[in-house]
Amino acid sequence: MTFGIEAASYHVPSLYLEIKDLAERRGIEPAKLEKGLGLHKMGFPDVHEDAATFAAEALLKLIKDYHINPKEIARIYLGTESALDAAKPTASYAMQMVEKVLEEQFGERCFRNCDVVDLTFACIGAVDALHNSLDFVRVNPDKKAIVIASDYAKYELASSGEYTQGGGAVAVLVSSKPDLIEIENNWGVATESVFDFFKPRRHFKKENLNNAPGNFPEKIEIFTDEPVFDGQYSNQCYQDRIREAYNHYKEITGKNKPYESWKYLIFHLPYAFHSKRVFTEIYSLENGLSYETPEEQKAVAKSEAYIQFINDKIEKSQRASSEIGNIYTASIFMAMLSVLQTSFNENEELTGKEIGFLGYGSGSKSKVFAGKVSENWKNVVSKWNVFEELKSRTAINFETYEKLHRKQLETSVNENYKGFGLKYVELENPVLKGARYYHYQK
Ligand SMILES: CC(=O)CC(=O)SCCNC(=O)CCNC(=O)[C@H](O)C(C)(C)COP(=O)(O)OP(=O)(O)OC[C@H]1O[C@@H](n2cnc3c(N)ncnc32)[C@H](O)[C@@H]1OP(=O)(O)O
């Protein structure tokens, strides 16, 4: 019996900002962002959009496009680091939005018996949800699970993370009928607790923490959804963890140079060119190349063989990321869609080809695993139109972008939007304070 991904859908924010507009206004050379990091457009949410609406859109599309009976879904596990609430999972919001739309066809609360939860480990939370759901269907091969990756990658204005912002969601159906990709049960894992990128809920002033026990800190600052991070250190942690997880994968599979047998390599992409910048280390170790000094590292990155390797095995995965930006948990899934959509458009035959996945989540963990493209993959991909749909987004100017970022707009840029939207947040009623209410516009 085989297990893996049976179907997949996605959703991206309805707005975008041209990266060159951001570069100009921040005094950054556009070529650094476009040619150095591979950024072209930044997907950005409108006033009514958030991680819950992205997830709901991807979930509804999955159900409709592949004619899924929602009552047959045993679980919906959602990976996110943009949770809207510290107790009520974002998955429950998405589930309820979709239930309402499906009510006419499937009756009230079609997910009544569905196990719904969020999983959080920065950008790797949805890979964890996939791993866990694969284990679930291996034990229960007659059951189906849905994994959703949904995030809004927001950084402080004018910070070094700002140009990598983005958002969106990918939903995948996990089952014993893996029409898209069959996933093998070998997981290279590497974990180390570090502070490379994190979102502390409360920050206590240091001197207050030194008070005698029982003295509560006087000043508590609440952080917003923007992370605390050290960019170059996070790159190093990413590189270290994927190396360790890749080595673990080699250890448990006994495979020699596994990356060579992978037709494509799919990574978590915090920005489009990240994977090609960090894979130089594993590539050098596997090929006996010196990788000590910055000069040696540059020489590997610029070598003809490495450039060819990137063009053959990595470039296609970067294309969607260049147009969207970071989607945290969904980035690795969108990179997979980017490869499969491009291969589909170019009429490439992928059946039976092996793909390697290298996930990363700050804080920090990496998982390395592999899958085999299924015979039916083209039927699954024929429901997507990733690159054409990206062209239908609305461009915003820098002023609008800054207002959206600062939450200064009260009405949506696209007032007549279609689909799910946040209607209001309850602020008065003390027993419902903070409750979020959504609607669906046809
Ligand atoms: C957050 C997650 O999602 C989890 C993770 O993956 S952690 C790892 C990634 N971390 C992050 O994304 C955190 C947020 N982002 C950041 O902190 C930063 O955007 C970043 C660390 C990702 C990049 O930092 P930066 O200082 O802006 O860029 P830098 O690392 O100097 O790279 C710029 C590149 O552009 C190139 N460049 C500069 N000017 C150029 C020009 N005019 N023309 C062409 N290329 C140019 C540089 O040569 C360099 O490329 P190479 O090293 O490949 O040669």
Side-chain angles (χ1 to χ4, degrees):
M1 207 159 207
T2 55
F3 301 91
I5 298 175
E6 181 178 333
S9 287
Y10 56 92
H11 182 78
V12 292
S14 57
L15 309 176
Y16 73 89
L17 177 71
E18 289 284 354
I19 281 293
K20 61 175 171 6
D21 293 351
L22 182 75
E24 268 166 34
R25 299 298 287 262
R26 295 281 181 241
I28 304 169
E29 218 183 318
K32 174 192 162 182
L33 304 187
E34 291 175 346
K35 299 201 168 68
L37 301 176
L39 311 169
H40 295 294
K41 293 187 173 78
M42 176 201 290
F44 210 79
D46 204 340
V47 173
H48 61 275
E49 295 176 304
D50 59 24
T53 66
F54 298 153
E57 295 283 1
L59 175 60
L60 183 62
K61 203 158 178 266
L62 186 77
I63 288 172
K64 284 189 167 170
D65 282 355
Y66 300 97
H67 310 290
I68 295 168
N69 179 348
K71 293 183 173 168
E72 286 174 6
I73 301 303
R75 53 157 64 175
I76 299 172
Y77 276 24
L78 182 141
T80 189
E81 55 167 292
S82 320
L84 301 158
D85 190 293
K88 185 172 159 53
T90 303
S92 67
Y93 281 104
M95 176 206 82
Q96 187 187 31
M97 277 186 249
V98 173
E99 268 183 340
K100 286 253 178 287
V101 175
L102 296 178
E103 209 166 76
E104 218 173 280
Q105 199 181 349
F106 295 99
E108 265 184 26
R109 289 179 54 208
C110 59
F111 291 121
R112 184 191 324 242
N113 302 119
C114 187
D115 176 5
V116 168
V117 76
D118 282 5
L119 267 78
T120 296
F121 197 136
C123 301
I124 204 165
V127 168
D128 291 334
L130 175 69
H131 188 174
N132 196 288
S133 295
L134 280 163
D135 287 349
F136 171 74
V137 295
R138 281 183 221 279
V139 176
N140 306 279
D142 55 331
K143 298 213 164 124
K144 288 180 191 285
I146 289 177
V147 168
I148 310 176
S150 184
D151 267 306
Y152 166 27
K154 189 180 186 191
Y155 289 87
E156 221 176 290
L157 291 170
S159 71
S160 70
E162 186 184 28
Y163 34 83
T164 69
Q165 292 175 127
V170 176
V172 300
L173 180 63
V174 177
S175 77
S176 55
K177 189 177 162 290
D179 283 344
L180 185 65
I181 185 159
E182 180 192 324
I183 298 180
E184 67 168 22
N185 198 15
N186 292 313
W187 298 77
V189 180
T191 313
E192 186 184 8
S193 178
V194 294
F195 288 108
D196 61 331
F197 166 111
F198 56 111
K199 295 177 184 166
R201 272 194 223 297
R202 293 189 194 91
H203 172 68
F204 301 100
K205 266 181 89 181
K206 200 163 180 282
E207 57 269 31
N208 290 328
L209 278 180
N210 294 335
N211 286 352
N215 279 355
F216 289 100
E218 285 147 25
K219 190 178 168 205
I220 300 173
E221 289 171 26
I222 309 285
F223 277 100
T224 62
D225 22 78
E226 293 147 27
V228 177
F229 68 99
D230 177 341
Q232 297 309 335
Y233 178 55
S234 70
N235 285 341
Q236 190 57 51
C237 294
Y238 183 120
Q239 188 164 320
D240 291 345
R241 286 304 83 68
I242 63 164
R243 184 193 62 247
E244 291 170 359
Y246 179 84
N247 286 338
H248 185 221
Y249 177 82
K250 282 173 65 172
E251 237 174 83
I252 57 178
T253 58
K255 289 181 186 168
N256 182 34
K257 275 198 184 182
Y259 89 87
E260 278 195 340
S261 61
W262 293 338
K263 171 81 181 149
Y264 293 110
L265 276 72
I266 314 261
F267 294 74
H268 161 58
L269 292 181
Y271 56 90
F273 287 176
H274 186 73
S275 55
K276 73 169 180 180
R277 290 177 79 206
V278 296
F279 195 71
T280 44
E281 187 188 28
I282 294 178
Y283 180 89
S284 303
L285 293 170
E286 287 285 46
N287 292 290
L289 307 170
S290 299
Y291 195 78
E292 294 297 316
T293 64
E295 292 72 33
E296 287 172 341
Q297 292 163 15
K298 273 262 171 288
V300 173
K302 293 203 176 326
S303 68
E304 213 175 292
Y306 190 70
I307 292 170
Q308 189 62 48
F309 159 76
I310 296 302
N311 287 339
D312 291 345
K313 294 186 187 247
I314 289 187
E315 188 276 326
K316 285 180 183 172
S317 68
Q318 302 167 352
R319 295 189 194 184
S321 177
S322 291
E323 299 294 309
I324 302 168
N326 198 353
I327 328 181
Y328 291 155
T329 53
S331 288
I332 186 167
F333 291 91
M334 187 53 85
M336 175 181 81
L337 266 54
S338 181
V339 163
L340 297 175
Q341 181 74 72
T342 307
S343 296
F344 178 87
N345 295 354
E346 293 174 357
N347 223 358
E348 188 182 15
E349 195 35 83
L350 286 185
T351 301
K353 296 275 192 283
E354 213 189 348
I355 291 185
F357 293 86
L358 298 95
Y360 177 72
S362 289
S364 63
K365 181 166 74 183
S366 172
K367 284 188 174 175
V368 172
F369 57 102
K372 202 166 73 188
V373 181
S374 310
E375 213 181 327
N376 282 337
W377 74 279
K378 284 190 181 167
N379 292 336
V380 180
V381 178
S382 67
K383 303 283 182 193
W384 316 339
N385 211 347
V386 177
F387 300 105
E388 283 307 306
E389 281 177 24
L390 286 172
K391 289 184 193 153
S392 67
R393 295 173 297 172
T394 305
I396 48 171
N397 61 26
F398 184 79
E399 283 68 31
T400 307
Y401 154 71
E402 276 211 322
K403 281 188 195 146
L404 280 165
H405 195 289
R406 293 197 164 105
K407 300 193 167 131
Q408 288 167 340
L409 290 187
E410 301 227 322
T411 53
S412 295
V413 174
N414 284 327
E415 278 190 67
N416 300 318
Y417 65 84
K418 289 191 173 29
F420 296 111
L422 177 67
K423 217 171 158 202
Y424 69 99
V425 180
E426 176 61 53
L427 296 175
E428 302 300 328
N429 182 344
V431 294
L432 281 172
K433 219 171 177 177
R436 301 168 76 85
Y437 294 94
Y438 295 86
H439 67 163
Y440 184 76
Q441 301 200 139
K442 281 195 179 154

